[in-house]
Amino acid sequence: MAEIEIKNVAKNFGAYEALSDINLTIADQEFMVLLGASGCGKSTLLRIIAGLETASSGEVWIGGKRIDHLAPKDRGIAMVFQNYAVFPHLTVFENIGFGLRMKKLPNEVVRQRVEKVAELMHIEMLLSRYSGELSGGQRQRVAVARALAMEPDVILMDEPLSNLDALLRMEMRAELKGVLAESKTTAIYVTHDQVEAMSMADRISVMHQGKIIQADTPIQVYRNPSAKFVASFIGNPPMNFLPASRSGTKWSVAGAKFTGPETKIDILEFAVRPEDLKSADNGICATVKIVEPLGAHLLVTCTVEGHLFRVVMDSDTSLKTGQIITLAPQANRIRWFDPETALAL
Amino acid sequence: MSETSSNNGARPVGSGAKLVYVSSVVLLCAWVIVPIYFLLINTLSSPETVNSFPKSFFPEFDFGSLHFFAEFSGMITALKNSITVALLTMTMSILIGAPAGYALSRFDFVGKNLFRLLILLTRAFPLPLLALPLAVMFIQTGLDDTTFGLSLVHTTLAIPFSVLITFSLFSGIPLELEEAAWTLGCTRLSAFRKVVLPLILPGITASAIFAFVISWNEVFAAAVLTIENRTLTAFLLQNLGTSPLHLKFAGGFILVMPALIFIFAVRKYLFAMWGIANR
């Protein structure tokens, strides 16, 4: 059992608050992704869990044991670094076996375990090579194999795929997901790439300015963002926002009327994903500004009463710049945000 | 040398520019090589040839002058002293300099930049200015005329270089390698021993040899602070002043050669001091 509990963790660098009041529970064998733009504190949080950084306050528990005062080596973790950190003076075999040798395991056990994970990561033919003789992707595999060989309770990954080229990244993404699921290890994975986060995670923690804004399953984060930040961060293109004002029992959005939530506030923000819009006879009137054919579909950038508004349409649609289109959102996909607190209603 | 210049210098464009470029390279090389070559020729020539004119451009391979030194009384003791002092200097400057270099590259502390400046500033004091008070102090503490006392002074001279070279070498080793070792079961110390040290060892060796050469070449402090236990430089300075020309050449040659060989062996790492190491 390696459940991770992070309680009230905060981190200050001088006057700068890198992390504030982080509370997060990660279940045993869960794949948790920390997602956020650079500088949001996701790597700092990971390093605090690893013990490479000390929290200014708060507690970190792994498997029911408080570990924030322990050295990295005593925490039952293994880490994969962004630049792989494969030791250049050791062969691939000795790299993977490094942690096992530190544990003073007998040679035979080391050999078996190294060979097992090397096979798992498809690098068994590279065992006698040095890091300088490997490609980026191979180094990445060595780094993951080295972490897996430790058979840790928790595996921590700091943007492990960000230095690979796009095609290799996609391949490794799927492979890593499979290997980690099989290893039954709890994993925390830091990334700024939302596609990576969506495709790999059991749960995503969206971070912004040192806080966790939402921690939920990928589909929940996508469909039901808890805050405007999440809605505008997740999705490519992100959600569209329009101001809505009360009009009787309904809400008026750019001239169209929608059923909204029961609330005391008089002004709301209406939000809808670009793919949840269809052209219709009545709805929101938009002026087409840019049409971008993307093959599978058409990305149309419009303006609605001066607000930017993006729509994903079928690629057979023919549209011209300046044309006025009427768009109807799918009713069950409309979300509402409080403009004051920027939280979902 | 020409390779370094062509890599780093601006590339010449026209043939006129190329001529200037080539001739300056040749001139610079000649500046260094010609005196050493003459030293070599005159060392390996008989006394008559050394004093005659015109000079020959080829050595005669007459080992008379060198042979003289081998039998010159006090020579072997002086050589032994030189090596002892240089080895002590080498050890001390690495033991003190390398941790300082590590601290500079790995930790942020108040006054870090001032500290780096101060290290360089120690080279700004002319040794003759310090020699007299040092001599007095050494006599008071009983360190005068000992190899250890002299190596202390030489260590002071060598430390700025060992700190700066090791600082640059440590900075070239990503912190992530150490962090990876920590997560794989190492303490700070064992990570240093198992990961950093093997990677840095060639550089440390180079830095040590450089300290050795600094001590080997130093003559002023050696001449002032020792009387009986003279190092080779001080010994030759004392004895060659009144010697015939061919012996001066041979003495100079004996001094220059080890330093040249050592510096040539470690040249790659000395560039590290300026942060352009070709690792």
Side-chain angles (χ1 to χ4, degrees):
Chain A
M1 270 303 280
E3 187 189 72
I4 304 169
E5 267 182 283
I6 297 158
K7 298 178 183 169
N8 306 316
V9 162
K11 174 73 182 175
N12 303 313
F13 291 109
Y16 175 69
E17 213 175 33
L19 289 175
S20 58
D21 197 28
I22 300 285
N23 284 289
L24 189 64
T25 306
I26 301 162
D28 183 37
Q29 298 184 29
E30 189 173 21
F31 194 125
M32 171 63 89
V33 170
L34 305 179
L35 176 67
S38 53
C40 72
K42 57 192 191 301
S43 280
T44 307
L45 180 57
L46 192 79
R47 291 170 60 83
I48 286 173
I49 299 168
L52 300 174
E53 206 92 59
T54 324
S56 304
S57 61
E59 300 172 6
V60 182
W61 295 66
I62 293 179
K65 207 173 93 184
R66 188 173 171 187
I67 51 106
D68 47 78
H69 58 284
L70 297 177
K73 68 187 179 71
D74 302 321
R75 294 186 175 203
I77 53 126
M79 187 153 166
V80 179
F81 292 82
Q82 188 174 1
N83 315 337
Y84 323 132
V86 174
F87 304 130
H89 62 298
L90 299 176
T91 59
V92 169
F93 184 97
E94 286 305 325
N95 259 288
I96 299 174
F98 188 90
L100 308 176
R101 297 247 192 253
M102 289 308 296
K103 282 186 186 166
K104 304 218 157 47
L105 294 179
N107 276 332
E108 188 54 26
V109 180
V110 173
R111 197 182 57 78
Q112 278 172 6
R113 274 221 232 166
V114 169
E115 278 170 5
K116 198 180 96 193
V117 292
E119 204 173 315
L120 196 66
M121 294 306 298
H122 308 294
I123 47 172
E124 61 270 36
M125 63 295 187
L126 303 174
L127 285 176
S128 58
R129 297 229 199 141
Y130 286 90
S131 137
E133 304 164 326
L134 304 177
S135 69
Q138 289 170 330
R139 268 177 234 179
Q140 184 54 59
R141 287 167 186 275
V142 174
V144 174
R146 185 173 65 183
L148 287 174
M150 296 290 287
E151 296 179 0
D153 299 327
V154 180
I155 190 161
L156 307 170
M157 284 171 279
D158 191 359
E159 310 219 12
L161 304 183
S162 65
N163 285 352
L164 302 180
D165 60 62
L167 208 64
L168 199 54
R169 201 182 312 164
M170 214 158 86
E171 191 186 306
M172 278 299 283
R173 202 164 71 200
E175 199 175 321
L176 211 51
K177 187 177 178 175
V179 166
L180 284 169
E182 203 168 313
S183 74
K184 300 198 186 328
T185 314
T186 311
I188 306 182
Y189 186 104
V190 163
T191 183
H192 62 264
D193 181 337
Q194 48 169 302
V195 181
E196 232 167 82
M198 296 295 285
S199 63
M200 295 175 88
D202 291 328
R203 272 198 303 155
I204 298 177
S205 295
V206 182
M207 292 184 68
H208 182 52
Q209 292 177 344
K211 289 191 174 71
I212 292 176
I213 308 292
Q214 185 175 11
D216 216 327
T217 57
I219 201 68
Q220 277 295 322
V221 168
Y222 189 78
R223 287 281 172 233
N224 297 314
S226 69
K228 196 181 166 187
F229 171 78
V230 180
S232 58
F233 185 74
I234 305 273
N236 185 21
M239 258 184 165
N240 293 305
F241 298 95
L242 288 174
S245 54
R246 199 185 283 278
S247 141
T249 54
K250 296 213 164 193
W251 293 86
S252 158
V253 179
K257 298 267 191 298
F258 296 98
T259 319
E262 300 278 328
T263 173
K264 290 192 183 102
I265 317 162
D266 285 329
I267 293 179
L268 284 181
E269 261 186 300
F270 160 96
V272 66
R273 292 225 170 257
E275 67 271 27
D276 297 334
L277 291 154
K278 271 203 193 84
S279 14
D281 293 337
N282 46 36
I284 300 165
C285 290
T287 316
V288 177
K289 291 287 173 192
I290 307 163
V291 181
E292 295 167 83
L294 300 177
H297 49 250
L298 204 62
L299 176 60
V300 187
T301 307
C302 321
T303 52
V304 175
E305 294 183 340
H307 300 275
L308 195 68
F309 202 81
R310 291 197 187 86
V311 191
V312 171
M313 296 185 115
D314 192 89
S315 48
D316 290 339
T317 323
S318 73
L319 284 172
K320 277 196 291 289
T321 307
Q323 192 178 337
I324 292 172
I325 49 175
T326 316
L327 299 163
Q330 207 175 311
N332 60 345
R333 295 279 170 83
I334 299 171
R335 297 293 174 262
W336 303 87
F337 292 93
D338 179 343
E340 294 268 311
T341 60
L343 294 177
L345 289 170
Chain B
M1 182 170 215
S2 59
E3 188 191 275
T4 325
S5 335
S6 67
N7 281 342
N8 298 339
R11 282 183 187 282
V13 196
S15 66
K18 190 162 185 175
L19 187 74
V20 174
Y21 171 74
V22 169
S23 48
S24 37
V25 168
V26 169
L27 205 68
L28 276 172
C29 291
W31 178 270
V32 178
I33 292 169
V34 168
I36 295 173
Y37 186 62
F38 274 123
L39 196 60
L40 177 81
I41 292 174
N42 285 308
T43 303
L44 298 177
S45 299
S46 59
E48 297 75 48
T49 323
V50 171
N51 289 310
S52 70
F53 198 83
K55 299 278 179 207
S56 157
F57 273 93
F58 304 98
E60 293 178 318
F61 296 104
D62 178 315
F63 293 93
S65 309
L66 285 176
H67 192 69
F68 169 80
F69 272 102
E71 311 211 316
F72 191 39
S73 77
M75 187 67 191
I76 298 299
T77 327
L79 183 68
K80 229 185 273 169
N81 283 337
S82 256
I83 292 174
T84 315
V85 172
L87 285 178
L88 277 172
T89 303
M90 184 172 105
T91 317
M92 286 196 287
S93 65
I94 287 304
L95 285 183
I96 299 170
Y102 183 80
L104 275 176
S105 87
R106 286 291 188 259
F107 303 112
D108 270 320
F109 51 87
V110 184
K112 183 169 162 174
N113 287 328
L114 184 70
F115 180 64
R116 284 179 68 181
L117 188 68
L118 282 176
I119 290 171
L120 276 180
L121 270 184
T122 56
R123 297 292 303 184
F125 289 99
L127 198 56
L129 201 71
L130 299 170
L132 197 63
L134 261 180
V136 173
M137 247 174 68
F138 272 31
I139 290 168
Q140 282 170 351
T141 50
L143 280 172
D144 61 307
D145 206 10
T146 59
T147 47
F148 178 68
L150 185 58
S151 62
L152 278 183
V153 177
H154 287 177
T155 303
T156 318
L157 296 176
I159 275 182
F161 294 101
S162 67
V163 172
L164 290 183
I165 295 174
T166 52
F167 161 65
S168 163
L169 291 167
F170 282 126
S171 302
I173 294 179
L175 180 59
E176 285 193 345
L177 286 185
E178 272 183 87
E179 289 180 338
W182 300 341
T183 61
L184 290 169
C186 284
T187 59
R188 193 149 204 144
L189 194 69
S190 62
F192 183 84
R193 200 161 47 80
K194 289 197 177 278
V195 175
V196 179
L197 205 56
L199 291 173
I200 203 131
L201 210 53
I204 292 269
T205 315
S207 165
I209 288 178
F210 192 58
F212 185 95
V213 171
I214 285 178
S215 165
W216 175 272
N217 281 345
E218 203 284 324
V219 61
F220 192 86
V224 172
L225 297 175
T226 59
I227 300 159
E228 295 294 320
N229 292 315
R230 296 231 131 161
T231 59
L232 197 60
T233 43
F235 179 78
L236 289 174
L237 183 74
Q238 182 188 14
N239 291 299
L240 287 182
T242 51
S243 307
L245 196 56
H246 66 278
L247 290 186
K248 283 184 181 166
F249 275 121
F253 183 75
I254 291 171
L255 279 178
V256 165
M257 245 22 230
L260 268 184
I261 292 167
F262 284 148
I263 292 293
F264 187 75
V266 301
R267 65 197 184 286
K268 183 172 127 187
Y269 293 98
L270 295 182
F271 286 124
M273 191 159 51
W274 320 118
I276 50 167
N278 35 356
R279 289 179 202 89

Coordinates of all heavy atoms in Angstrom, one line a residue, chain A residues 2 4 26-34 46 78 153-157 176 180-181 183-190 202-203:
Chain A
A2 N 0.8 2.0 -1.0 CA 1.5 3.3 -1.0 C 0.6 4.4 -1.4 O 0.7 5.0 -2.5 CB 2.7 3.2 -2.0
I4 N -0.4 8.2 -1.1 CA 0.4 9.4 -0.8 C -0.6 10.5 -0.3 O -1.7 10.7 -0.9 CB 1.1 9.9 -2.0 CG1 2.0 8.8 -2.6 CG2 1.9 11.2 -1.7 CD1 2.5 9.2 -4.0
I26 N -3.4 10.8 -3.0 CA -3.2 10.0 -4.2 C -3.3 8.5 -3.8 O -2.6 8.0 -2.9 CB -1.8 10.2 -4.9 CG1 -1.8 11.7 -5.3 CG2 -1.7 9.4 -6.1 CD1 -0.4 12.2 -5.5
A27 N -4.3 7.8 -4.4 CA -4.6 6.4 -4.0 C -3.4 5.5 -4.4 O -2.6 5.8 -5.3 CB -5.9 6.0 -4.6
D28 N -3.4 4.3 -3.8 CA -2.4 3.3 -4.1 C -2.6 2.9 -5.6 O -3.7 2.8 -6.1 CB -2.6 2.1 -3.2 CG -1.6 1.0 -3.5 OD1 -0.5 1.4 -3.7 OD2 -2.0 -0.2 -3.4
Q29 N -1.5 2.8 -6.3 CA -1.5 2.4 -7.7 C -2.1 3.4 -8.7 O -2.4 3.1 -9.8 CB -2.1 1.1 -7.9 CG -1.3 0.0 -7.2 CD -1.9 -1.4 -7.5 OE1 -2.5 -1.6 -8.6 NE2 -1.8 -2.3 -6.5
E30 N -2.4 4.6 -8.2 CA -3.0 5.6 -9.0 C -2.0 6.3 -9.9 O -0.8 6.4 -9.4 CB -3.7 6.6 -8.2 CG -4.6 7.6 -9.0 CD -5.4 8.5 -8.1 OE1 -5.1 8.7 -6.9 OE2 -6.4 9.1 -8.6
F31 N -2.3 6.7 -11.1 CA -1.4 7.5 -11.9 C -1.9 9.0 -11.8 O -2.9 9.3 -12.4 CB -1.5 7.0 -13.3 CG -0.4 7.5 -14.2 CD1 0.4 6.6 -14.9 CD2 -0.1 8.9 -14.4 CE1 1.5 7.1 -15.7 CE2 0.9 9.3 -15.2 CZ 1.7 8.4 -15.9
M32 N -1.2 9.8 -11.1 CA -1.6 11.2 -10.9 C -0.7 12.1 -11.7 O 0.5 11.9 -11.7 CB -1.5 11.5 -9.4 CG -1.7 13.0 -9.1 SD -3.3 13.6 -9.5 CE -4.2 13.3 -8.0
V33 N -1.3 12.9 -12.5 CA -0.5 13.9 -13.3 C -0.7 15.3 -12.7 O -1.8 15.7 -12.4 CB -1.0 13.9 -14.8 CG1 -0.4 15.0 -15.5 CG2 -0.7 12.6 -15.4
L34 N 0.4 15.9 -12.5 CA 0.4 17.3 -12.1 C 0.6 18.2 -13.3 O 1.6 18.1 -14.0 CB 1.5 17.7 -11.1 CG 1.6 16.8 -9.8 CD1 2.8 17.3 -9.0 CD2 0.3 16.9 -9.0
L46 N 6.7 18.1 -6.7 CA 7.3 16.7 -7.0 C 8.6 16.6 -6.2 O 8.9 15.6 -5.6 CB 7.5 16.5 -8.5 CG 7.8 15.1 -8.9 CD1 6.6 14.3 -8.9 CD2 8.5 15.0 -10.2
A78 N 11.3 6.4 -6.4 CA 12.3 6.5 -7.4 C 11.9 7.6 -8.4 O 10.7 7.9 -8.5 CB 12.4 5.2 -8.2
D153 N 7.8 2.2 -4.0 CA 6.4 2.3 -3.7 C 5.8 3.4 -4.6 O 4.7 3.3 -5.1 CB 6.2 2.8 -2.3 CG 6.8 1.8 -1.3 OD1 6.7 0.6 -1.6 OD2 7.3 2.2 -0.2
V154 N 6.6 4.4 -4.9 CA 6.1 5.5 -5.7 C 7.2 5.9 -6.7 O 8.3 5.9 -6.4 CB 5.9 6.8 -4.8 CG1 5.4 7.9 -5.6 CG2 5.0 6.5 -3.7
I155 N 6.7 6.1 -7.9 CA 7.6 6.5 -9.0 C 7.2 8.0 -9.4 O 6.1 8.3 -9.6 CB 7.6 5.5 -10.2 CG1 8.7 5.9 -11.1 CG2 6.3 5.5 -10.9 CD1 9.1 4.7 -12.0
L156 N 8.3 8.8 -9.3 CA 8.0 10.3 -9.6 C 8.7 10.6 -10.9 O 9.8 10.2 -11.2 CB 8.7 11.1 -8.5 CG 8.3 10.8 -7.1 CD1 9.2 11.5 -6.1 CD2 6.8 11.1 -6.8
M157 N 7.9 11.3 -11.8 CA 8.5 11.6 -13.1 C 8.3 13.1 -13.4 O 7.2 13.7 -13.3 CB 7.8 10.8 -14.2 CG 8.2 9.4 -14.2 SD 7.3 8.3 -15.3 CE 5.9 8.0 -14.2
L176 N 4.8 3.9 -21.7 CA 5.0 4.2 -20.3 C 3.8 3.9 -19.5 O 3.8 3.3 -18.4 CB 5.4 5.7 -20.1 CG 6.3 6.1 -19.0 CD1 7.6 5.3 -19.0 CD2 6.6 7.6 -19.2
L180 N 3.8 1.2 -16.4 CA 3.5 1.6 -15.1 C 2.2 0.9 -14.5 O 2.2 0.6 -13.3 CB 3.3 3.1 -15.0 CG 4.6 3.9 -15.1 CD1 4.4 5.3 -15.3 CD2 5.5 3.6 -13.8
A181 N 1.3 0.7 -15.4 CA 0.1 0.0 -14.9 C 0.4 -1.4 -14.5 O -0.1 -1.9 -13.5 CB -1.0 0.0 -16.0
S183 N 3.4 -2.4 -13.4 CA 4.2 -2.4 -12.2 C 3.5 -2.2 -10.9 O 4.0 -2.4 -9.9 CB 5.3 -1.4 -12.4 OG 4.8 -0.1 -12.2
K184 N 2.2 -1.8 -11.0 CA 1.4 -1.6 -9.9 C 2.0 -0.6 -8.9 O 1.9 -0.8 -7.7 CB 1.1 -2.9 -9.2 CG 0.3 -3.9 -10.0 CD -0.3 -5.0 -9.2 CE -0.9 -6.1 -9.9 NZ -1.5 -5.8 -11.2
T185 N 2.7 0.4 -9.4 CA 3.3 1.4 -8.6 C 2.5 2.7 -8.6 O 1.8 3.0 -9.6 CB 4.7 1.8 -9.2 OG1 5.4 0.6 -9.5 CG2 5.5 2.6 -8.2
T186 N 2.4 3.4 -7.5 CA 1.8 4.7 -7.5 C 2.7 5.6 -8.3 O 3.9 5.6 -8.1 CB 1.6 5.2 -6.1 OG1 1.0 4.2 -5.3 CG2 0.7 6.4 -6.0
A187 N 2.1 6.4 -9.2 CA 3.0 7.3 -10.0 C 2.5 8.7 -9.9 O 1.3 9.0 -9.9 CB 3.0 6.8 -11.4
I188 N 3.5 9.6 -9.8 CA 3.2 11.0 -10.0 C 4.0 11.6 -11.1 O 5.2 11.3 -11.2 CB 3.5 11.8 -8.7 CG1 2.8 11.2 -7.5 CG2 3.1 13.3 -8.9 CD1 3.1 12.0 -6.2
Y189 N 3.3 12.2 -12.0 CA 3.9 12.6 -13.3 C 3.7 14.0 -13.6 O 2.5 14.5 -13.6 CB 3.2 11.7 -14.4 CG 3.7 11.8 -15.8 CD1 4.5 10.8 -16.3 CD2 3.4 12.9 -16.6 CE1 5.0 10.8 -17.6 CE2 3.9 13.0 -17.9 CZ 4.7 11.9 -18.4 OH 5.1 12.0 -19.7
V190 N 4.8 14.8 -13.7 CA 4.6 16.2 -13.9 C 4.7 16.5 -15.4 O 5.6 16.0 -16.1 CB 5.8 17.0 -13.2 CG1 5.9 18.4 -13.7 CG2 5.5 17.0 -11.7
D202 N -4.8 8.7 -14.4 CA -6.1 8.3 -13.8 C -6.8 9.6 -13.3 O -8.0 9.7 -13.4 CB -5.8 7.4 -12.6 CG -5.2 6.1 -13.1 OD1 -5.6 5.6 -14.2 OD2 -4.4 5.5 -12.3
R203 N -6.0 10.5 -12.7 CA -6.5 11.8 -12.2 C -5.5 12.8 -12.6 O -4.3 12.6 -12.6 CB -6.7 11.8 -10.7 CG -8.1 11.3 -10.3 CD -8.5 11.7 -8.9 NE -7.5 11.3 -8.0 CZ -7.3 11.9 -6.8 NH1 -8.0 13.0 -6.5 NH2 -6.4 11.5 -5.9

